[in-house]
Every structure is written in structure tokens, then in C-alpha cells.
Amino acid sequence: MSGPVFAAFYAIVRRIPAGKVATYGQIARMAGMPRCARTVGYALADCRDPAVPCHRVVDRFGGTKAVFDTLSPGTQRALLEAEGVPFRPDGTVDLAQCQWAPEAL
């Protein structure tokens, strides 16, 4: 499944700068589909474009997802840590410090 909806999500995710993260719900809201966080997840899990930094999207609690552990367990976390994204002791991203807040779409 792909098409214009997935393309809209990918366009937003491409804008997330290194060292920042966004949530699935945040991406859905930015795309004008506020109740479609799960669809964002499906889109990112289906994405094969290396220009889309899917690893920068986490759940609403800051949790990483195994679908992005493409090389081995912990790949998503390692990629985020390499960009300077801080994690809490419970293994979740510290959203208060690094959640992306774009100025304008």
C-alpha cells in the first residue's frame, strides 16, 4: 500500500532534523489526519526510501519500534543516539528535550 497518503507522511518525516524526533500522532496531525497515527506506522514500516529518516519517529511515550531495528536489535536506538537524541533510564526517548517542533509546514 502506498500512494498520496503515504507520500504525505514521508514528506513530513524527511523534514525532521537530525537530533530530533516526532511521534506517529504528530506526523498524522501535521498531515491533516489527526486520528491516523497507526496509518503513519504502516507507512513507515513499508518505506524503503533511505532518504526518509523513519528512525526519527517514535511512539507517544518515546518508545522505539522493532520494525526499525533493521540490522539488529537496538538499531533505531543506536541511530538516534548517534544523532545525540537523549534516552531516559527506562529506554524511551526524552521527548521533552528532543521532540521536533517545526515552525511552519
Side-chain angles (χ1 to χ4, degrees), residues 18-88:
K20 296 291 183 181
V21 298
T23 66
Y24 295 100
Q26 179 181 356
I27 300 301
R29 285 189 303 277
M30 291 175 70
M33 297 176 255
R35 300 187 55 83
C36 294
R38 188 169 293 195
T39 306
V40 173
Y42 295 144
L44 297 184
D46 191 52
C47 184
R48 301 292 173 250
D49 183 348
V52 180
C54 297
H55 68 282
R56 294 183 185 147
V57 183
V58 296
D59 70 24
R60 64 188 172 132
F61 303 110
T64 60
K65 299 296 172 197
V67 72
F68 299 115
D69 290 344
T70 54
L71 303 175
S72 65
T75 300
Q76 184 181 16
R77 180 178 177 145
L79 289 169
L80 291 172
E81 286 179 329
E83 294 180 356
V85 173
F87 280 77
R88 297 184 199 115

Side-chain angles (χ1 to χ4, degrees), residues 6-28:
F6 281 21
F9 297 149
Y10 299 155
I12 294 167
V13 173
R14 279 188 192 96
R15 294 181 52 230
I16 305 169
K20 296 291 183 181
V21 298
T23 66
Y24 295 100
Q26 179 181 356
I27 300 301

